[in-house]
């Protein structure tokens, strides 16, 4: 039996009827057409589905849409005007931090959280924070370098 939910998705209030078993990633992809949220493992392990729920990174493949009733959700599509995300996208390109791109949306959301929450993070801390986001292509060197680049740029502007 479907349940009503009201979720703010990328700044817009969305009201819908969803099955209690519908995961947030499926709701966003299928009902909202927001395909930037990728599904990898569907067990919350790989990080490909990472997005923000009420300002904190979360795995949308293991979060039920009904549990987000009243919440604010931001998928990768919702960061278009975000200055930090723009810096990260530029740095990911400059540092060759992406290859196939499958992990990139979740990786960018996690990277933004690192930049915002840990402005003085060193390489070891960045790697620890990235441990929940798997990438099979890059070896993480470019990803870590991109995050370090943004952290340095932001430290210079303080």
């Amino acid at each position: 039996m479907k349940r009503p939910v009201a979720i703010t998705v990328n700044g817009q209030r969305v009201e819908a009827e969803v099955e209690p078993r519908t995961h947030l990633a499926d709701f966003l992809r299928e009902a909202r057409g927001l395909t930037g949220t990728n599904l990898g493992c569907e067990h919350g392990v790989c990080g490909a589905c990472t997005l923000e729920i009420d300002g904190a990174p979360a795995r949308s493949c293991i979060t039920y849409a009904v549990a987000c009733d009243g919440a604010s959700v931001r998928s990768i599509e919702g960061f278009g005007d975000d200055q930090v995300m723009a810096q990260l996208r530029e740095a990911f390109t400059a540092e060759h931090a992406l290859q196939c791109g499958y992990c990139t949306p979740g990786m960018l959301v996690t990277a933004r959280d690192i930049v915002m929450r840990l402005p003085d993070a060193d390489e070891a801390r960045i790697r620890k924070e990235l441990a929940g986001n798997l990438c099979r292509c890059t070896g993480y060197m470019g990803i870590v370098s991109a995050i370090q680049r943004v952290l340095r740029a932001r430290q210079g502007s303080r």
Side-chain angles (χ1 to χ4, degrees):
M1 181 161 148
K2 291 188 176 185
R3 299 175 116 178
V5 294
I7 305 170
T8 301
V9 178
N10 298 332
Q12 295 183 342
R13 184 175 168 88
V14 173
E15 294 183 18
E17 298 267 330
V18 297
E19 293 286 340
R21 67 177 179 266
T22 302
H23 290 104
L24 182 59
D26 294 326
F27 173 72
L28 294 174
R29 291 180 62 80
E30 295 169 16
R32 306 300 308 155
L34 298 171
T35 57
T37 300
N38 292 324
L39 289 167
C41 68
E42 297 188 55
H43 294 285
V45 176
C46 76
C49 69
T50 304
L51 45 68
E52 275 188 5
I53 300 175
D54 291 333
R59 304 292 198 246
S60 61
C61 75
I62 57 172
T63 302
Y64 293 112
V66 294
C68 296
D69 189 31
S72 178
V73 172
R74 187 155 58 157
S75 68
I76 193 67
E77 294 92 343
F79 288 94
D81 294 334
D82 187 275
Q83 181 184 7
V84 175
M85 190 61 81
Q87 290 176 307
L88 283 163
R89 286 179 173 143
E90 184 178 307
F92 267 56
T93 300
E95 297 291 339
H96 308 288
L98 47 106
Q99 287 183 23
C100 82
Y102 198 81
C103 72
T104 305
M107 197 69 76
L108 283 167
V109 172
T110 300
R112 183 184 180 282
D113 177 65
I114 294 167
V115 169
M116 298 302 291
R117 192 170 44 83
L118 302 166
D120 298 317
D122 62 7
E123 180 180 348
R125 184 59 189 263
I126 292 168
R127 287 182 175 281
K128 181 178 178 180
E129 294 292 323
L130 289 175
N133 290 72
L134 303 179
C135 176
R136 292 182 174 199
C137 300
T138 67
Y140 300 92
M141 293 301 297
I143 296 167
V144 172
S145 295
I147 295 169
Q148 289 176 314
R149 176 186 283 234
V150 172
L151 288 171
R152 281 193 306 272
R154 293 179 60 80
Q155 287 169 348
S157 67
R158 284 196 252 173

